[in-house]
């Protein structure tokens, strides 16, 4: 390529990459795959390295950062960067609206533009003739720092505006890091023993104020523009804030599309409430909503007070993080014996509620965060999430702060506490002898998704335990009316209701029953899957650990397995190419790939990893290496399988199951999937998988209905599945079935099929 050609190519690439950047980061609609983008990008980097003059100020290659700076230059904001007044609560928003009407001497509704208030860092950006030339932090509002190279690296910021008028356009916006990127960044920081950031805002601020912009480039910072600064162009400017945002957006600047126009103060309040509800689901942190008077002539009339405009207000959400003191740490014992450290705090108002207890998760977390008793800590309560201690303020640590220690004995029953190496949780070894575990197990047993026994709340369960009327769940079924009436807060009606609920709970499903047993790690969905797969308690009881763990080597089918056995046996292979016993595992693997048709390198490597010598390979038979159609139940991994097998090996547990069944608990029969039906039935030879939630029949009932018609029901989707019976809120099975092009049957179609067969 001639020098001239290279220059043309560089220009072409700059244009292409700018377009792709916009498609990817602003329009969310990329036209080419990432790999292709990377290829063009590297090509341009090479060309610009060869001809440095080609790297113009808007070249997309500037997005990877530039040579490190010694310090940041100061930048005077020709138009000061202001702050905002706050409102907390509806009354204060209404006061704000009223103040404006009084000042404007009007009773007509004022139109506002509402924008989510992102919790990031305010910056000012200057474009000259459409080209991004300078960007600065807010600083004290009058003077900030020049962070142009860092801002160039922002993924969604255009370095060149499209269709901009000649002259100077200054815009202002908020730089932020989304929640996922924040979590990822902190994981990496931790791995590299670098500083962990307290929140996305600090992470964004820290990343922007780095002298080395190549590090900034590695952090996925984004920006939303929310207003203009000083604009000097030869064109007429929009007359409202809303139209200004539209104008900026048309030039390619990223505007938050959650912004909206609100016709009056009532609509504004409704917008606030809507965004507050969505807060936890948004992928970035916000701390409120900014309301701005839409008409710019009204803004001008209203003017400013000290450092804030009269025409705008930040309507803040209740703070989700507050500081308070950690007074003590108690350990709570859960259903399976796990000890959870719980922080006792000086009460603090956070996330809209008074908080005096918060979780500390486990000892690893405490260590990682370096929290001590007596510390000033940051407490977070977001949405419906349990309040948690986020971090300690080490600089404010009192001299008498104490380390948090895991007790050696269970605080409830005194049994030994066991902490297996490599596992974060410590456990009380008391089992059902521990009052706390008994209490939690009973609460779980009666809960709605388990046996669904209404009326047995915490207060009643505690009394039943205290009076030793109940130890095991099965004891619930021998409670008498008199015993119940003797309890506090229980009158005639309540006693009758509880007895009726106990009676009603006896007709259940196998899935619910399995869930109610409280096998560690086995949730509602897995319990349901175990029920469908095994069909009976006895079958599940008999399953060994081996049963759950996939056998053979994936990628080796029947025929290949036979061919491998024959080949290593040496009989059919010609002498010159024979495999010898001094081959290393790697050589065996290579030899097999060359001599066994259909054997892939990946599978061969797995094979020799398990059987690394020719001798060991000669001992195995085809069945042991052939990948078996996995008998595992979907979602049951090795750890859960161990819990299941362990649960059914306990004499106490088996006795309790017996007592429960003797008490009258029963469920509709499900034919085992292991025994195919004889005779001809309408759905003979068909295999179904059931997923999702159904409104009419339960999953057990659907399974029983299909099996009684001769069908097989299995737990996982494969190409051998006839159809997926799919209810509401289906997940990965539906995705897989669609990928395999399987027939999907919904609840209505299922009912039709069952009635026809
Ligand atoms: S307008 C004169 N709009 O909030 C108007 N600010 O408390 C000044 N912020 O420093 C700002 N989102 O960092 C405005 N949509 C938004 C905003 C927003 C976040 C931040 C900004 C500012 C602070 C003011």
């Amino acid at each position: 390529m001639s020098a001239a050609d290279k220059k043309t190519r560089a220009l072409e690439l700059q244009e292409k990459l700018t377009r792709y950047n916009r498609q990817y980061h602003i329009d969310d609609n990329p036209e080419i795959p990432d790999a292709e983008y990377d290829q063009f990008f590297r090509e341009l980097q090479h060309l610009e390295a060869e001809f440095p003059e080609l790297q113009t100020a808007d070249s997309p290659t500037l997005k990877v950062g530039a040579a490190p700076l010694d310090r940041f230059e100061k930048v005077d904001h020709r138009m000061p960067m202001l702050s905002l007044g706050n409102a907390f609560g509806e009354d204060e928003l209404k006061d704000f609206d009223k103040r404006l009407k009084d000042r404007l001497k009007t009773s007509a509704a004022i139109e506002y533009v509402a924008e989510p208030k992102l919790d990031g860092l305010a910056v000012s950006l200057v474009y000259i003739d459409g080209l991004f030339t300078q960007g600065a932090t807010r600083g004290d509002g009058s003077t900030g720092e020049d962070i142009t190279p860092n801002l160039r690296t922002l993924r969604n910021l255009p370095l060149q505006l499209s269709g901009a008028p000649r002259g100077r356009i200054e815009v202002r916006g908020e730089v932020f890091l989304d929640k996922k990127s924040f979590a990822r960044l902190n994981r990496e920081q931790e791995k590299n023993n670098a500083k962990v950031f307290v929140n996305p805002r600090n992470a964004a601020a820290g990343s922007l104020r780095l002298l080395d912009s190549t590090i900034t480039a590695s952090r996925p910072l984004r920006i939303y523009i929310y207003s203009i600064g000083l604009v000097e162009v030869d064109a007429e400017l929009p007359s409202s804030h809303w139209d200004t945002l539209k104008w900026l957006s048309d030039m390619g600047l990223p505007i938050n599309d959650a912004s909206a126009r609100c016709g009056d103060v009532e609509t504004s309040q409704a917008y606030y409430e809507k965004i507050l509800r969505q807060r936890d689901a948004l992928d970035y942190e916000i701390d409120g909503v900014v309301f701005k008077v839409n008409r710019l002539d009204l803004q001008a009339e209203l003017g400013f007070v000290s450092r804030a405009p009269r025409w705008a207000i930040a309507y803040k959400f209740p703070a989700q993080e507050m500081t308070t003191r950690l007074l003590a740490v108690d350990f709570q014992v859960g259903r399976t014996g796990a000890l959870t450290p719980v922080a006792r705090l000086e009460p603090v108002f956070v996330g809209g509620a008074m908080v005096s207890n918060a979780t500390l998760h486990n000892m690893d977390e405490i260590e990682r965060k370096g929290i001590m008793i007596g510390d000033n800590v940051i407490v977070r309560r977001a949405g419906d999430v349990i309040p948690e201690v986020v971090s300690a303020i080490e600089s404010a640590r009192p001299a008498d702060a104490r380390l948090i220690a895991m007790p050696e004995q269970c605080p409830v029953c005194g049994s030994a506490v066991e902490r297996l190496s490599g596992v974060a949780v410590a456990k009380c070894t008391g089992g059902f002898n521990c009052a706390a575990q008994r209490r939690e197990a009973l609460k779980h047993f009666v809960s709605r998704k388990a046996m669904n026994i209404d009326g047995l709340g915490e207060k009643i369960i505690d009394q039943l335990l205290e009076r030793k009327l109940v130890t095991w769940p099965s004891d619930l079924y021998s409670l008498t009316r008199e015993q119940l009436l003797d309890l506090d807060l229980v009158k005639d009606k309540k006693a009758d209701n509880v007895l009726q609920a106990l009676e009603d709970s006896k007709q259940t499903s196998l899935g619910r029953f399995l869930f109610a047993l409280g096998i560690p790690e086995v949730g509602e969905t897995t319990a349901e899957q175990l029920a469908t797969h095994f069909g009976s308690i006895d079958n599940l009881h008999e399953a060994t650990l081996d049963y759950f763990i996939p056998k053979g080597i994936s990628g080796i089918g029947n025929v290949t397995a036979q061919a491998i056995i024959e080949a290593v046996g040496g009989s059919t292979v010609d002498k010159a190419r024979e495999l010898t016993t001094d081959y290393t595992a790697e050589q065996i693997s290579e030899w097999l790939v060359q001599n066994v048709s259909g054997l892939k390198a990946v599978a061969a490597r797995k094979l020799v990893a398990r059987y690394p010598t020719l001798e060991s390979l000669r001992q195995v038979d085809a069945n042991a290496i052939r990948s078996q159609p996995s008998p595992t139940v979907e979602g049951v991994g090795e750890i859960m399988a161990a819990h299941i097998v362990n649960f059914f090996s306990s004499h106490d547990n088996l006795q309790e199951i017996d007592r429960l069944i003797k008490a009258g608990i029963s469920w509709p029969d499900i034919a085992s999937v292991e025994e195919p039906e004889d005779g001809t039935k309408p759905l003979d030879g068909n295999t179904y998988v059931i997923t999702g939630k159904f409104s009419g029949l339960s999953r057990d009932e659907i399974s029983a209905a299909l099996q009684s018609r001769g069908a097989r029901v299995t737990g996982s989707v494969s190409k051998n599945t006839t159809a997926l019976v799919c209810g509401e809120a289906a997940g990965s099975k539906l995705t897989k079935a669609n990928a395999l092009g399987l027939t999907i049957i919904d609840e209505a179609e299922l009912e039709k099929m069952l009635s026809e067969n």
Side-chain angles (χ1 to χ4, degrees), residues 531-535 539 547 670-676 703 707 711-715:
T532 322
H533 189 92
F534 288 96
N539 285 348
Y547 180 85
I670 311 171
S672 163
V673 299
E674 300 301 298
E675 309 153 13
S703 176
Q707 291 177 54
R712 270 168 58 90
V713 175
T714 65

Side-chain angles (χ1 to χ4, degrees), residues 156-433:
N156 67 343
L157 187 74
L159 301 179
Q160 176 73 54
L161 299 179
S162 59
R166 292 196 70 78
R168 178 188 206 269
I169 298 177
E170 181 184 351
V171 295
R172 278 143 189 206
E174 196 84 350
V175 176
F176 63 99
L177 198 61
D178 64 48
K179 293 177 189 166
K180 267 203 202 118
S181 307
F182 166 69
R184 200 175 312 131
L185 174 61
N186 264 353
R187 278 199 301 274
E188 276 164 28
Q189 293 285 101
E190 212 174 299
K191 217 169 60 198
N192 302 330
N193 280 325
K195 177 180 152 218
V196 170
F197 298 101
V198 182
N199 54 38
R201 182 195 147 76
N202 287 6
S207 304
L208 261 193
R209 295 196 62 260
L210 288 166
L211 290 167
D212 184 351
S213 55
T214 59
I215 306 180
T216 311
S218 73
R219 312 243 167 113
L221 295 166
R222 281 157 63 197
I223 186 169
Y224 277 136
I225 303 298
Y226 52 65
S227 74
I228 50 173
L230 186 71
V231 173
E232 295 166 326
V233 290
D234 236 359
E236 201 176 328
L237 294 183
S239 63
S240 71
H241 180 61
W242 184 255
D243 291 343
T244 307
L245 293 179
K246 168 100 178 41
W247 179 59
L248 298 175
S249 170
D250 287 345
M251 290 189 289
L253 287 164
I255 307 293
N256 191 340
D257 61 14
S259 307
R261 263 187 302 186
C262 302
D264 54 25
V265 68
E266 286 79 21
T267 325
S268 301
Q269 172 67 24
Y271 176 93
Y272 169 89
E273 286 164 17
K274 186 183 89 182
I275 295 285
L276 180 55
R277 280 194 301 275
Q278 294 171 349
R279 182 185 196 177
D280 291 320
L282 289 177
D283 72 355
Y284 45 78
E285 297 267 3
I286 55 175
D287 57 358
V289 175
V290 181
F291 289 98
K292 298 173 183 169
V293 170
N294 188 28
R295 274 173 53 183
L296 298 186
D297 58 337
L298 296 186
Q299 284 192 6
E301 197 175 332
L302 287 163
F304 300 84
V305 249
S306 66
R307 317 265 320 137
R310 277 205 190 83
W311 43 263
I313 198 154
Y315 186 178
K316 300 291 267 295
F317 291 149
Q320 290 183 314
E321 286 186 0
M322 290 295 280
T323 0
T324 187
R325 243 169 72 86
L326 175 60
L327 303 174
V329 174
D330 290 340
F331 287 82
Q332 231 163 39
V333 185
R335 173 163 64 82
T336 59
L339 261 63
T340 308
V342 180
R344 305 294 176 206
L345 305 163
E346 211 155 82
V348 60
F349 194 74
V350 53
M354 261 337 243
V355 170
S356 46
N357 303 312
T359 180
L360 284 158
H361 300 291
N362 56 52
M363 293 310 280
D364 283 0
E365 282 284 301
I366 291 178
E367 217 165 286
R368 192 175 70 76
K369 294 173 181 166
I371 297 170
M372 293 172 74
I373 296 170
D375 266 345
N376 291 293
V377 292
I378 296 174
V379 179
R380 182 176 172 83
R381 179 180 178 275
D384 297 333
V385 185
I386 307 169
E388 63 163 347
V389 176
V390 183
S391 60
I393 304 169
E394 268 177 57
S395 55
R397 174 162 292 157
D400 60 352
R402 284 177 294 128
L403 282 173
I404 301 167
M406 169 64 71
E408 282 168 17
Q409 264 114 36
C410 169
V412 178
C413 73
S415 302
V417 167
E418 156 188 278
R419 187 172 175 197
L420 300 176
S421 64
V423 184
V425 265
K427 279 190 168 188
C428 155
T429 52
F432 242 70
N433 294 319

Side-chain angles (χ1 to χ4, degrees), residues 619-638:
Q619 310 257 314
V620 298
D621 64 14
N623 252 339
I625 57 173
R626 161 176 79 93
S627 94
Q628 312 269 343
S630 156
T632 46
V633 187
E634 192 172 285
V636 180
E638 275 181 53

